[in-house]
């Protein structure tokens, strides 16, 4: 699998501040990305990657297609250079549903964009309004359809635990996202970051964040839906960094959030298997053994408490 070289454009193009968003902390970068910096990032990646590993350049962190076109073109001119030299394979961008139309997609294709990550976050309009997203679920469905019609791969980003979210609204979001048939999804349970409206609401008692265990349950619900519809899940939880570790104030942030969610999914599977078959020694694929046992053997301990002597082994 080819590498992805991230080029962060934090907050660029965002017409409003979502209540949860502090991209400067998430991305670990505070300054506007310049063409010279983008070129330096790609040159460094080319120098350190193994021969034959031709990476994809990715503009992350903001709403790329909503920034001024001149700035888009300046950055894309850099990736065009590297593409022409055979040093990158293609480009991916992240953006908002209301910053997609046919003209934008034609321009992206001219610049070798093959993947668009779309920040859907929720498909419940009340939750979107509470989060100050500035777009609706219909906007997401429309943008997703246009991207797919353009022959560009579609990744949809979702969140769990936004203001007004319930377990039911999160499952509804997953069902609606699955119906759009994306090529992949990301799931981000909400972490409360300083210098955000959500932090202020939490401090004032107006917002109750998810704890890690509840988030794992809700994310497992989403995983079940996406798995049933054969939709790959690229990531669960924010990518842990030293800055996030030291700044997240509350909510569902854990360095092993994905393992916790998949562990919950495996716990449900194992419970059903034991109840249906009565087996107490269960063999799983070696690559799934750690998830089946659970983070810090959590699943094994719960299963033994519920069913007695249970053993999970690699097949």
């Amino acid at each position: 699998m080819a590498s992805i070289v991230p080029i962060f454009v934090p907050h660029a193009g965002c017409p409003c501040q979502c209540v949860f968003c502090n991209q400067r902390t998430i991305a670990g970068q505070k300054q506007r990305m310049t063409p010279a910096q983008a070129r330096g990032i790609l040159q460094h990646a080319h120098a350190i990657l193994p021969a034959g590993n031709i990476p994809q350049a990715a503009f992350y962190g903001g709403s790329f297609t909503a920034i001024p076109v001149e700035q888009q073109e300046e950055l894309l001119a850099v990736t065009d250079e590297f593409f022409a030299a055979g040093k990158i394979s293609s480009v991916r961008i992240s953006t908002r549903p209301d910053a997609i139309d046919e003209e934008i997609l034609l321009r992206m294709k001219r610049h070798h964009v093959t993947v668009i990550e779309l920040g859907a976050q929720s498909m419940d309009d009340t939750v979107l309004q509470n989060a100050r997203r500035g777009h609706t679920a219909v906007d997401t469905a429309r943008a997703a359809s246009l991207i797919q019609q353009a022959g560009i791969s579609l990744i949809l980003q979702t969140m769990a635990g936004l203001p007004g979210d319930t377990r039911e609204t999160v499952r509804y979001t997953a069902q609606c996202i699955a119906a759009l048939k994306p090529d992949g999804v990301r799931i981000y349970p909400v972490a409360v970051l300083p210098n955000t409206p959500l932090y202020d609401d939490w401090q004032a008692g107006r917002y109750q964040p998810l704890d890690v265990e509840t988030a794992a349950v809700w994310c497992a619900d989403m995983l079940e839906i996406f798995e049933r519809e054969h939709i790959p899940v690229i990531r669960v939880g924010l990518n842990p960094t030293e800055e996030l570790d030291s700044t997240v104030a509350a909510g569902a942030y854990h360095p092993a959030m994905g393992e916790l969610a998949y562990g919950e999914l495996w716990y449900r599977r194992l419970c059903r298997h034991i109840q249906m078959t009565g087996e107490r020694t269960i063999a799983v694929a070696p690559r799934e053994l750690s998830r089946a046992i659970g983070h810090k053997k959590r699943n094994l301990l719960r299963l033994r408490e519920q069913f007695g002597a249970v053993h999970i082994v690699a097949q």
Side-chain angles (χ1 to χ4, degrees):
M1 182 177 178
S3 301
I4 293 176
V5 180
I7 303 170
F8 287 103
V9 286
H11 279 307
C14 297
C16 54
Q17 183 185 5
C18 303
V19 295
F20 54 83
C21 190
N22 184 337
Q23 274 292 341
R24 292 173 178 84
T25 294
I26 294 170
Q29 178 180 317
K30 297 177 173 57
Q31 303 301 319
R32 172 185 162 187
M33 178 60 61
T34 67
Q37 290 171 325
R39 183 175 289 105
I41 290 168
L42 292 172
Q43 286 172 337
H44 177 70
H46 181 69
I48 65 173
L49 286 172
N53 186 337
I54 303 176
Q56 182 182 64
F59 291 106
Y60 282 146
S63 297
F64 188 82
T65 58
I67 67 178
V69 172
E70 181 180 348
Q71 292 178 27
Q72 292 180 45
E73 293 288 348
E74 289 174 350
L75 292 170
L76 291 168
V78 176
T79 54
D80 285 348
E81 292 173 18
F82 280 76
F83 179 84
K87 295 180 179 179
I88 63 169
S89 61
S90 58
V91 178
R92 79 167 57 198
I93 64 165
S94 62
T95 194
R96 296 169 52 86
D98 52 353
I100 289 291
D101 60 28
E102 291 90 341
E103 181 181 349
I104 287 169
L105 292 171
L106 285 172
R107 186 169 66 253
M108 293 301 104
K109 292 190 74 172
R110 286 198 301 270
H111 290 290
H112 318 293
V113 172
T114 60
V115 181
I116 293 180
E117 299 207 17
L118 203 61
Q121 317 313 5
S122 176
M123 294 298 281
D124 182 290
D125 281 338
T126 299
V127 172
L128 289 171
Q129 185 174 12
N130 291 345
R132 304 183 198 171
R133 282 293 293 168
H135 68 79
T136 66
V138 169
D139 292 327
T140 297
R142 179 196 60 82
S145 178
L146 288 175
I147 291 167
Q148 291 166 324
Q149 290 171 32
I152 297 174
S153 183
L154 171 68
I155 308 297
L156 290 171
Q157 300 173 356
T158 65
M159 299 187 76
L162 291 167
D165 253 340
T166 64
R167 189 173 181 180
E168 289 69 32
T169 63
V170 168
R171 286 185 60 84
Y172 173 76
T173 286
Q175 290 163 352
C176 292
I177 292 293
L180 297 176
K181 303 296 182 185
D183 298 293
V185 296
R186 297 180 188 267
I187 303 172
Y188 295 119
V190 176
V192 179
L193 298 172
N195 302 314
T196 64
L198 198 61
Y199 179 89
D200 296 338
D201 287 344
W202 168 63
Q203 288 285 78
R206 295 187 295 268
Y207 169 72
Q208 180 63 44
L210 294 183
D211 57 49
V212 169
E213 288 195 11
T214 303
V217 170
W218 290 19
C219 289
D221 290 347
M222 300 182 85
L223 289 171
E224 281 187 318
I225 292 166
F226 295 137
E227 185 177 81
R228 185 169 64 241
E229 299 300 324
H230 308 290
I231 295 169
V233 177
I234 297 170
R235 183 168 189 86
V236 180
L238 292 170
N239 187 35
T241 65
E242 288 184 10
E243 185 166 6
L244 275 175
D245 289 346
S246 63
T247 57
V248 170
Y253 175 71
H254 191 286
M257 192 69 237
E259 289 301 304
L260 292 171
Y262 278 105
E264 174 64 25
L265 187 60
W266 265 103
Y267 174 71
R268 299 175 189 182
R269 292 172 178 163
L270 294 167
C271 282
R272 288 193 295 266
H273 181 81
I274 293 170
Q275 289 166 348
M276 289 176 62
T277 68
E279 294 179 3
R280 297 293 190 274
T281 299
I282 305 165
V284 302
R287 67 179 181 277
E288 295 290 346
L289 184 61
S290 64
R291 287 177 173 177
I293 291 174
H295 185 64
K296 296 184 178 180
K297 298 185 178 180
R298 173 177 170 79
N299 287 351
L300 191 59
L301 294 173
R302 286 195 292 173
L303 290 168
R304 286 176 175 173
E305 182 178 339
Q306 187 172 356
F307 297 108
V310 173
H311 301 279
I312 304 170
V313 299
Q315 186 171 18

